Amino acid sequence: MWDYTDKVKDHFLNPRNVGEIEDADGVAEVGSIACGDALKFMFKLGPDGKIAEAKFKTFGCASAIASASALTEMVKGMTVEEASKVTNQDIANFLGGLPQEKMHCSVLGREALEMAISNYQGSPGKAEEEKIVCECFGVTEKEIERAIRENRLTSVEEVTNYTKAGGGCGNCHDTIREIIDRIQAEVRDLPGRPKLSNIKKIKMIEETLEREIRPALKHDGGDIELVDVVGNRVLVATRGACASCQASNQTMKNFVEVKLRELVWPELVVEEVSA
Amino acid sequence: MKTIYLDNNATTQVAPEVLEAMTPYFSELYGNPSSMHSFGGQVNKEVRKARERMAALLGASPEEIIFTSCGTESDNAAVRSALSSYPEKKHIVTSRVEHPAIRALCAHLATQGYKITELPVDGEGRLDMEQYRKALTPDTAIVTLMWANNETGVIFPIEKAAEMAKERGILFHTDAVQAVGKIPIDLGKVPIDMLSLSGHKLHAPKGIGVLYVRKGTKFSPFLIGGHQERGRRGGTEATSSIIGLGVAAELAGNKMEYENTVVRGLRDKLEKSILGIVPNTKVNGTRDSRLPNTSNISFEFVEGEGILLMMDEFGICASSGSACTSGSLQPSHVLRAMGVPFTMAHGSIRFSLSIYNTEEEIDFVVEKIPPIINTLRSMSPYWKTGAQLCESA
């Protein structure tokens, strides 16, 4: 039996916003019945330009239903631009986490949201000519690349958990491995990357903290605050549970620093200061 | 909340009389049956009695019964024994719908240089006997076919299959884990060389199994150790479990008619009621040759995990062949081998009954299922289209 959080169970047993909107501004359908889960998602903007209504219909397991329900609750009240920044991790965090094997449900939600926004903006969704890597589940190279980058995936198994790619016949495992290797090499071989201006660097650090790091720490009752950036030294102060946590130094090095190095600049060093 | 347990193909309740018979052998009568003293010797007598009871259920002789730790061990022991007894033969015949104990073992053996023929089944889960005949070659070391399928309950024509193997001098093994105790088996009349069974599927505890090996069959032990089980399976006997299994075997024999009349009747009522009330449902597996306790029903356009979790809210236990519950992202290999369409396979639920189920329980399940399916279908983007398709058809 899956270890679902109470919030997942709640959103599964009492799903919010099930249904369709007749005159929706953005509509998307992702997944297929052959793959085992499918999601139809739509939203309508209010006069203030914010999402006033969001609805869904889904075919899938409990976590797929819960993820879709969570997504509709999350985006209500957001502008389209704010909604476009919602990641699959945000959906999982909203639900208090998902089992690793079920992360693909949150990815499905993010994909649906993105496609619905594209639909609203009048641009085409998934381009037809995109290269399919996993034939069994129709997963494209771009989708796999994105999941690897956004969730720092390092193994074929993880890619399968997040995208389903490789979960069928297994013929694409080598290709997935190559994509992982390629992205890991990109992250390593950064000298070719243009140098960041200080202002840009600080901005990116702030954004990464906000989007990727603080939600995860908050999930465990902790928090972090950016104090200063001096060259490649990122000075931070810990808050909440992190401040009194024995393992906070480990968290700094293994999680905060890894994340900032990956998403901002590979030579960053995180230092904890009291502020 | 009361538990309504309709997942007896997964495991069963230990029968009260089985538990009662076992209990003294943990605390008071803990002797080793191999010991020379009478304290151990008295346990040996009970182990012998259990062996006789097991043999009686199968129509076998006591010395043909080897106690093992589980069905998986029995399956491994049987197939590996055949391969080491006939080292020159490199071919195994099996089916696409076997339990993982055989399927994964064969997949492993395929990497060791063995050739595996996996026989297909038709849409009703039936074996193609003509293909089976063609698959048997002089290089075939063993045929291993399940007697009854754990997911659909479909019964293979094992009597005929065993005879065809015998005519060609090929060893025949059957995984009868789901069949024993549910349908009559008489090994005196069927030329099966080896048969596996598992205790916890017939109201004995988990952790005890049997491998039947016909007298005169070449056998090479899987577990090499002491002289137990006449040197065919080393390791001190799990005395209490063996004694419990003996009682369970006797109980199964006594309840065979009940299983095939009352339990079958309850299963039929459950199936007929659900199919009558809920539209777009289908039974997976031929109804002509099926275990009396099993019903595998597909609910179109919904996903099995959701159904299971909603049933769980009412204390109803069953299982599903959907991708989400199989842990492999794909629906069950059995339903795929049968060519069940995705719209049906993802929404498959297996109900498996036992002698302990009551009519009230079945009525309760029949009352709860339709609203669950309605709720999930009202959320499904495919439901409306599906209903329209069916109306126009």
Side-chain angles (χ1 to χ4, degrees):
Chain A
M1 194 165 185
W2 299 113
D3 194 7
Y4 286 134
T5 64
D6 288 343
K7 201 146 183 203
V8 171
K9 280 183 214 157
D10 176 40
H11 276 265
F12 162 64
L13 291 170
N14 311 295
R16 281 58 148 184
N17 312 308
V18 176
E20 306 200 21
I21 306 170
E22 290 240 330
D23 50 349
D25 291 311
V27 182
E29 277 184 71
V30 292
S32 79
I33 205 158
C35 300
D37 46 22
L39 172 59
K40 190 171 183 184
F41 169 80
M42 54 196 76
F43 67 83
K44 185 164 176 56
L45 296 173
D48 57 354
K50 290 180 175 174
I51 295 175
E53 211 182 342
K55 294 215 167 200
F56 79 94
K57 281 203 160 188
T58 191
F59 166 87
C61 49
S63 50
I65 292 170
S67 295
S69 169
L71 173 67
T72 55
E73 286 287 279
M74 287 166 73
V75 298
K76 267 200 272 181
M78 282 185 178
T79 62
V80 171
E81 213 215 317
E82 284 165 346
S84 68
K85 290 188 184 127
V86 171
T87 65
N88 71 285
Q89 198 61 52
D90 293 336
I91 300 173
N93 289 346
F94 181 90
L95 291 167
L98 283 171
Q100 275 297 303
E101 296 87 342
K102 295 287 191 176
M103 283 303 288
H104 60 84
C105 296
S106 68
V107 174
L108 193 75
R110 197 262 297 144
E111 279 175 9
L113 173 63
E114 205 165 87
M115 270 183 73
I117 291 173
S118 298
N119 171 258
Y120 163 67
Q121 292 168 336
S123 50
K126 197 194 283 182
E128 287 298 318
E129 67 273 17
E130 268 183 32
K131 193 180 150 203
I132 302 262
V133 172
C134 170
E135 297 281 346
C136 297
F137 293 107
V139 189
T140 66
E141 185 164 5
K142 277 214 172 112
E143 287 166 338
I144 294 171
E145 284 179 2
R146 181 157 180 187
I148 294 172
R149 284 182 209 278
E150 289 189 349
N151 298 287
R152 294 179 301 148
L153 309 181
T154 55
S155 68
V156 175
E157 195 190 342
E158 283 178 331
V159 170
T160 306
N161 286 340
Y162 279 69
T163 65
K164 291 190 161 195
C169 67
N171 283 345
C172 62
H173 283 190
D174 287 346
T175 316
I176 295 174
R177 185 74 251 168
E178 283 163 21
I179 298 173
I180 295 170
D181 290 347
R182 195 179 69 222
I183 289 172
Q184 285 184 329
E186 279 171 20
V187 175
R188 270 197 309 273
D189 308 337
L190 278 170
R193 207 163 115 173
K195 204 167 162 51
L196 277 180
S197 73
N198 252 342
I199 293 187
K200 186 118 194 267
K201 193 192 284 177
I202 293 169
K203 197 159 174 259
M204 281 176 75
I205 291 170
E206 276 183 326
E207 281 173 4
T208 307
L209 283 175
E210 224 33 66
R211 198 180 61 234
E212 304 282 337
I213 296 170
R214 293 186 63 206
L217 295 180
K218 278 181 181 164
H219 179 56
D220 292 327
D223 206 349
I224 195 169
E225 194 182 305
L226 182 62
V227 177
D228 202 356
V229 178
V230 184
N232 280 329
R233 290 166 63 212
V234 182
L235 308 179
V236 297
T238 50
R239 298 275 180 264
C242 289
S244 55
C245 175
Q246 296 290 330
S248 96
N249 199 30
Q250 287 296 314
T251 311
M252 285 305 138
K253 289 289 164 197
N254 294 344
F255 174 55
V256 182
E257 190 173 281
V258 166
K259 203 77 182 172
L260 288 174
R261 282 180 171 192
E262 180 200 331
L263 297 170
V264 183
W265 190 249
E267 280 142 25
L268 293 179
V269 180
V270 175
E271 291 175 26
E272 199 179 330
V273 294
S274 48
Chain B
M1 187 169 56
K2 199 179 165 243
T3 296
I4 295 181
Y5 192 76
L6 301 182
D7 201 13
N8 288 279
N9 285 10
T11 193
T12 61
Q13 173 196 338
V14 172
E17 51 268 60
V18 169
L19 182 62
E20 196 190 336
M22 289 173 66
T23 310
Y25 296 89
F26 290 105
S27 46
E28 299 148 44
L29 303 168
Y30 54 82
N32 188 324
S34 300
S35 297
M36 289 314 289
H37 42 70
S38 55
F39 183 66
Q42 63 185 336
V43 181
N44 193 31
K45 266 184 207 155
E46 289 304 313
V47 169
R48 200 181 306 147
K49 200 193 281 176
R51 202 182 300 279
E52 283 162 9
R53 284 169 162 166
M54 194 68 240
L57 180 68
L58 301 175
S61 309
E63 59 274 24
E64 294 173 319
I65 302 296
I66 301 174
F67 290 114
T68 65
S69 66
C70 59
T72 300
E73 186 197 322
S74 300
D75 285 342
N76 268 267
V79 173
R80 288 172 187 276
S81 166
L83 299 181
S84 42
S85 300
Y86 299 93
E88 70 288 359
K89 299 188 176 187
K90 300 286 181 200
H91 179 222
I92 299 168
V93 174
T94 182
S95 85
R96 282 191 197 163
V97 297
E98 296 298 310
H99 186 274
I102 287 293
R103 242 180 126 233
L105 172 65
C106 287
H108 170 73
L109 291 168
T111 67
Q112 315 269 300
Y114 290 94
K115 193 172 159 264
I116 315 292
T117 301
E118 281 194 348
L119 298 167
V121 295
D122 68 7
E124 301 277 279
R126 288 172 301 205
L127 208 57
D128 183 334
M129 295 306 276
E130 187 48 31
Q131 290 230 29
Y132 170 60
R133 191 183 57 77
K134 286 183 192 155
L136 301 174
T137 69
D139 191 40
T140 308
I142 186 167
V143 173
T144 173
L145 290 171
M146 67 200 324
W147 200 312
N149 189 275
N150 48 313
E151 292 188 28
T152 60
V154 170
I155 300 169
F156 277 166
I158 288 299
E159 296 87 345
K160 195 169 168 220
E163 267 158 29
M164 285 162 72
K166 194 192 174 192
E167 282 164 19
R168 292 162 181 80
I170 300 169
L171 274 183
F172 189 90
H173 165 255
T174 181
D175 177 336
V177 164
Q178 295 294 345
V180 173
K182 293 174 193 149
I183 53 171
I185 287 176
D186 187 355
L187 293 171
K189 290 186 182 147
V190 193
I192 289 167
D193 298 300
M194 290 183 275
L195 173 147
S196 305
L197 70 90
S198 170
H200 73 101
K201 310 284 191 192
L202 55 138
H203 306 294
K206 295 159 188 69
I208 185 76
V210 164
L211 177 64
Y212 157 90
V213 180
R214 183 176 294 277
K215 239 177 279 177
T217 305
K218 268 197 194 174
F219 188 76
S220 164
F222 181 48
L223 282 191
I224 296 166
H227 58 89
Q228 293 90 350
E229 304 300 302
R230 296 152 54 100
R232 294 170 299 177
R233 202 268 187 187
T236 300
E237 299 88 342
T239 51
S240 54
S241 295
I242 289 172
I243 290 158
L245 180 56
V247 175
E250 198 169 72
L251 178 75
N254 294 339
K255 291 281 183 183
M256 190 67 73
E257 204 191 319
Y258 184 89
E259 176 91 29
N260 284 277
T261 52
V262 180
V263 177
R264 180 187 292 272
L266 290 177
R267 188 273 314 266
D268 289 346
K269 181 179 180 181
L270 173 75
E271 195 168 272
K272 209 176 146 202
S273 307
I274 290 175
L275 261 63
I277 303 168
V278 187
N280 294 60
T281 49
K282 182 184 170 288
V283 171
N284 294 311
T286 176
R287 297 200 217 186
D288 299 336
S289 178
R290 196 163 52 132
L291 292 176
N293 78 320
T294 309
S295 178
N296 188 313
I297 303 180
S298 276
F299 299 91
E300 206 172 12
F301 306 119
V302 287
E303 208 282 330
E305 188 194 292
I307 306 173
L308 289 185
L309 289 183
M310 285 195 174
M311 290 201 299
D312 195 53
E313 292 290 303
F314 297 110
I316 304 168
C317 310
S319 63
S320 168
S322 86
C324 286
T325 51
S326 71
S328 73
L329 291 178
Q330 292 204 329
S332 99
H333 69 281
V334 176
L335 299 182
R336 275 186 288 145
M338 289 162 64
V340 175
F342 285 117
T343 53
M344 283 287 189
H346 286 298
S348 72
I349 299 290
R350 177 190 70 185
F351 299 98
S352 47
L353 284 61
S354 82
I355 52 171
Y356 297 114
N357 289 122
T358 63
E359 185 145 19
E360 289 72 45
E361 289 179 328
I362 299 302
D363 291 342
F364 182 77
V365 174
V366 168
E367 180 196 320
K368 294 299 174 198
I369 292 278
I372 288 174
I373 303 299
N374 279 345
T375 305
L376 289 168
R377 279 183 177 167
S378 70
M379 274 188 246
S380 169
Y382 298 111
W383 171 234
K384 212 163 75 185
T385 352
Q388 280 165 353
L389 278 175
C390 289
E391 275 162 28
S392 61

